[in-house]
């Protein structure tokens, strides 16, 4: 994935987001438009496996408690900022139905960012503080190259607290989805 392209000055609009080609991911942070090429195969594989492994038990209630909506690349409007996490999840008690809208304005209960060398700093430095300010309780950072899963929980004063770290061939019971064992090796191999 290529590095982010920025549009300055800080006055990007929804029209600017809509003008970005479909083969790109676009976000507005602090009035600045960032655009990224679509993820590479390593990233897409990790995203797909996580969605499949979590979707059955948590979205469909198959082998797990159900009660969640889990979506790939949901478009979020968090105040004046527009973000696209790799995965987002809402507890159904907070979001009973998926709205027919372009942007979700209700912050998710969980987001997952899959890091790449070109987006890791953007995800950590630009997006994590916005997720915290929006009150999103959980964030996962998955790094396919380092073969790690970091689980952060939003603590008092809206600061991220690193709760769990898994790596390599670990079988992860990662909160808030600890009821299911995730075989991390599936995210990294081939």
């Amino acid at each position: 994935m290529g590095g982010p392209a920025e549009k300055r000055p800080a006055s990007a609009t929804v029209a600017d987001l809509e003008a970005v080609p479909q083969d790109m991911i676009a976000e507005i942070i602090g009035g600045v438009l960032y655009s990224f090429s679509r993820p590479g195969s390593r990233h897409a594989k990790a995203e797909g496996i996580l969605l499949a492994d979590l979707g059955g038990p948590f979205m469909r209630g198959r082998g797990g408690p159900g009660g969640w909506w889990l979506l790939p690349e949901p478009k979020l409007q968090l105040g004046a900022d527009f973000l696209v996490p790799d995965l987002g999840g809402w507890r159904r008690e907070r979001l009973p139905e998926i709205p027919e809208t372009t942007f979700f304005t209700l912050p998710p209960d969980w987001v997952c960012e899959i890091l790449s060398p070109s987006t890791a700093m953007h995800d950590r430095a630009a997006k994590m503080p916005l997720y915290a300010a929006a009150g999103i309780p959980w964030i996962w950072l998955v790094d396919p190259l380092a073969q790690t899963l970091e689980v952060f929980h939003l603590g008092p004063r809206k600061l991220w607290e690193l709760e769990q770290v898994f790596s390599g061939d670990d079988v992860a019971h990662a909160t808030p989805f600890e009821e299911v064992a995730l075989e991390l090796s599936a995210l990294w191999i081939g």
Side-chain angles (χ1 to χ4, degrees):
M1 184 185 306
E6 295 183 28
K7 176 190 174 186
R8 300 240 183 227
S11 60
T13 66
V14 172
D16 294 320
L17 279 178
E18 293 169 349
V20 173
Q22 292 295 321
D23 63 340
M24 306 275 295
I25 293 174
E27 300 176 320
I28 296 175
I29 297 176
V32 177
L33 176 67
Y34 295 87
S35 59
F36 302 87
S37 60
R38 284 266 168 215
S41 58
R42 185 183 307 256
H43 180 290
K45 178 185 172 214
E47 181 180 321
I49 288 172
L50 280 172
L51 187 59
D53 286 354
L54 297 173
F58 292 95
M59 211 160 84
R60 307 276 318 267
R62 294 182 177 169
W68 285 79
W69 294 114
L70 301 172
L71 302 174
E73 299 177 2
K75 295 177 181 177
L76 309 178
Q77 181 179 358
L78 305 176
D81 299 304
F82 295 82
L83 305 172
V84 183
D86 293 308
L87 295 168
W90 289 259
R91 294 181 188 272
R92 289 189 189 190
E93 61 203 31
R94 288 186 58 240
L95 185 70
E97 299 291 329
I98 300 292
E100 292 291 329
T101 182
T102 304
F103 300 101
F104 288 88
T105 56
L106 179 68
D109 296 293
W110 167 82
V111 293
C112 177
E113 293 289 358
I114 300 169
L115 307 178
S116 67
S118 62
T119 64
M121 187 57 68
H122 179 76
D123 290 338
R124 287 183 186 275
K127 294 172 79 172
M128 281 183 75
L130 295 175
Y131 292 147
I136 296 171
W138 299 97
I139 185 170
W140 288 7
L141 298 179
V142 175
D143 189 333
L145 291 176
Q147 297 185 356
T148 59
L149 164 60
E150 297 171 274
V151 177
F152 292 88
H153 183 255
L154 192 60
R157 300 180 301 151
K158 292 195 174 185
L159 296 175
W160 289 113
E161 297 176 359
L162 181 61
E163 183 169 300
Q164 299 169 297
V165 178
F166 302 97
S167 63
D169 294 338
D170 287 349
V171 175
H173 290 271
T175 50
F177 304 112
E178 62 273 5
E179 294 94 343
V180 170
L182 297 173
E183 296 177 5
L184 293 187
S185 61
L187 302 178
W188 328 131
I189 296 175

